[in-house]
DNA sequence: CTGTCGTTTCGGCCGGGAACGAAGCGTTTC
DNA sequence: GAAACGCTTCGTTCCCGGCCGAAACGACAG
């Protein structure tokens, strides 16, 4: 039998087929913020019966896309590695590009997701793109299709902002991965810098996690902080007072 | 109906399902070298009847994963964008990691693929990893999990080697994307630098495309060139004379 | 020990979609 | 014009795999 390649297209299909089921896709999407969720939570996210969810999770774990953490009578699942997260990102990026806003009933909760959410370990959404834009405009950052890099001025700026880039930077000369946003269709900051930025924003109390969603809440403190540090308006359009500098988010 | 998210996990599943069929996966894999192939060639690659292939190709084109070029009575398909290529890469990277050499009947033709092949627009395989290693060892390159960058010395070296990095470099400060190799499980050079390197090796006549495979042929000229410029032994293990400096490829 | 909760296993149902062959359409060659 | 070729459309078959509910299992709480 020569027709079975030892690796390659065969296993490509196997992995992709796992992502190709709507229920599993919803589960993986729910896990994309990096947290560990229980089987029931994932069943809820996928809108299937617990028994169905169990079968799906067994497959995903068997394929090493998820890792399992048994804790009492709960079973916590999480993405097996950043590699898996990046794979999901890249598929979503393609999905976003090739489906040019087919049907657009912009759900109310989508608005929150569109403003700012987590993307595995970093920030995504309008705010994240805005941050990337602001840093680029000031010459702190160069973000291209395939790679990104901080300038020295940018490194100093982010260190002053509270990121500890020194350790990382000694090991790796460049660690700022561009990530295509599926709502904005624009690049934002992933990689180590993106993760650090997200961590710092949560640490400062500018953003808060929500229990039920990947969307993040911008605190009043954050509203002021983003305006002051990045010249960004982090309000939801149509919610509350009209922004003073409306152009800031749109750009 | 609140249960239908406008974008996100739904379209993730849609795209992934397209990759999840073995026949389509084989087609996409065949297209991963960036060339355009006809419908019959793809049918052959996927080992399905022309009518079946036609249906698959229609779906892939409809989803904008492939673009169609009509030419006479032939229909040439190719990957719609580098984004699609990168998505396939990332899925294969996961597939390679999570299937730890399940069944290993190392096909003879796999040996050629393992040595050097194209990966969308750049080189992959043992030789490509070797090149990346050599450049890193000389301090020309820093390649990490999420990003990579040339040093100034590395830029000069590659320019002397015949890559025209000037144009690119003015536009983008950093453009050297690391790409996980599914045979070697090591990083090699993708992005603009990787593409340039591949182009230059073909241009120099060091490597030649094969008609039927993504594997490349190392010419005698290339054998000497790789040894001289990168201190690499580009022979197939077990084929021909034993390499003089065996450690060079293994590292 | 008994009940509750989180999770898995089993059995059965059902639909989507991948496969093929035959026939049709457009293009090139002789 | 006829024949060969490349590809698609149509109609049919068929099987894989997702779904659920019922029941079993293990863990914790009372």
């Amino acid at each position: 039998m020569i027709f079975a390649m030892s690796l390659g297209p065969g296993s490509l299909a196997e992995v992709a087929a796992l992502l190709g089921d709507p229920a599993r896709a919803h589960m993986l999407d729910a896990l994309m913020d990096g947290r560990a969720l229980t089987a029931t939570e994932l069943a809820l996210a996928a809108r299937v019966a617990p028994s169905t969810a169990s079968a799906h999770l067994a497959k995903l774990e068997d394929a090493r896309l998820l890792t399992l953490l048994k804790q009492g009578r709960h079973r916590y699942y999480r993405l097996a590695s950043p590699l898996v997260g990046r794979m999901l990102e890249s598929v979503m990026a393609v999905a976003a590009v090739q489906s040019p806003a087919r049907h657009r009933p912009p759900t109310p909760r989508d608005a929150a997701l569109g403003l700012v959410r987590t993307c595995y370990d970093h920030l995504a959404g309008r705010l994240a793109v805005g941050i990337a834009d602001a840093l680029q405009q000031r010459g702190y950052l160069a973000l291209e299709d395939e790679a990104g890099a901080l300038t020295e001025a940018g490194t100093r700026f982010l260190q002053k902002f509270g990121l500890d880039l020194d350790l990382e930077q000694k090991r790796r000369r460049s660690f700022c991965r561009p990530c295509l946003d599926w709502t904005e269709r624009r690049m934002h900051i992933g990689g180590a810098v993106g993760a650090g930025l997200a961590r710092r924003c949560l640490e400062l109390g500018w953003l808060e996690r929500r229990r039920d969603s990947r969307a993040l809440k911008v605190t009043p403190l954050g509203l002021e902080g983003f305006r002051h540090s990045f010249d960004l308006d982090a309000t939801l359009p149509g919610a509350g007072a009209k922004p003073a500098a409306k152009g800031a988010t749109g750009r």
Side-chain angles (χ1 to χ4, degrees), chain A:
Chain A
M1 294 296 186
I2 326 166
F3 66 83
M5 276 270 286
S6 71
L7 201 61
S11 33
L12 165 69
E14 271 177 52
V15 173
L18 288 171
L19 320 182
D21 177 81
R24 286 191 292 261
H26 275 90
M27 290 174 168
L28 291 166
D29 178 65
L31 290 168
M32 264 197 71
D33 64 357
R35 285 183 300 183
L37 299 179
T38 67
T40 359
E41 286 173 317
L42 290 167
L44 201 62
R47 301 175 197 276
V48 291
S51 60
T52 307
S54 178
H56 285 309
L57 291 169
K59 287 187 188 185
L60 291 171
E61 194 208 347
D62 192 58
R64 319 221 184 168
L65 264 60
L66 301 184
T67 55
L68 173 58
L69 189 77
K70 296 186 189 183
Q71 209 166 99
R73 54 183 164 182
H74 296 276
R75 317 195 73 177
Y76 285 92
Y77 289 95
R78 56 184 308 166
L79 297 190
S81 74
L83 205 61
V84 177
R86 266 175 266 157
M87 171 184 69
L88 295 173
E89 271 178 25
S90 74
V91 179
M92 284 195 137
V94 169
V97 167
Q98 51 81 268
S99 94
R102 260 179 320 188
H103 42 80
R104 279 244 176 231
T107 320
R109 55 176 296 192
D110 283 356
L113 274 171
L115 178 60
V116 55
R117 64 180 181 280
T118 51
C119 176
Y120 192 60
D121 57 359
H122 57 274
L123 301 179
R126 191 148 28 87
L127 188 61
V129 172
I131 291 174
D133 282 348
L135 292 179
Q136 289 200 83
Q137 202 170 349
R138 300 179 194 178
Y140 290 167
L141 172 69
L143 214 53
E144 295 294 336
D145 274 9
E146 298 192 323
L150 283 179
T151 61
E152 280 150 38
T155 305
R156 283 193 300 273
F157 175 80
L158 288 180
Q159 279 176 333
K160 203 174 156 197
F161 184 63
L163 274 66
D164 51 346
L165 298 172
D166 303 290
L167 285 106
E168 316 265 1
Q169 200 165 24
K170 287 211 175 69
R171 284 200 325 113
R172 44 179 74 175
R173 307 181 56 90
S174 149
F175 48 108
C176 185
R177 193 171 52 88
C179 178
L180 185 60
D181 199 291
W182 54 266
T183 48
E184 294 296 304
R185 320 252 171 115
R186 297 274 315 282
M187 290 294 177
H188 61 258
I189 309 171
V193 172
L197 214 43
R199 202 182 320 120
R200 184 61 178 153
C201 286
L202 289 165
E203 200 174 282
L204 287 171
W206 289 13
L207 298 175
E208 284 174 3
R209 289 191 185 276
R210 295 168 190 263
R211 265 194 324 104
D212 54 338
S213 165
R214 283 173 53 200
L216 295 173
K217 186 178 181 299
V218 181
T219 64
L221 202 63
L223 210 61
E224 180 51 33
F226 287 118
R227 186 187 307 282
H228 177 260
S229 295
F230 298 98
D231 194 27
L232 283 177
D233 171 47
T235 53
L236 279 167
K242 272 279 182 282
K246 195 191 167 199
T249 62
R251 273 228 27 74

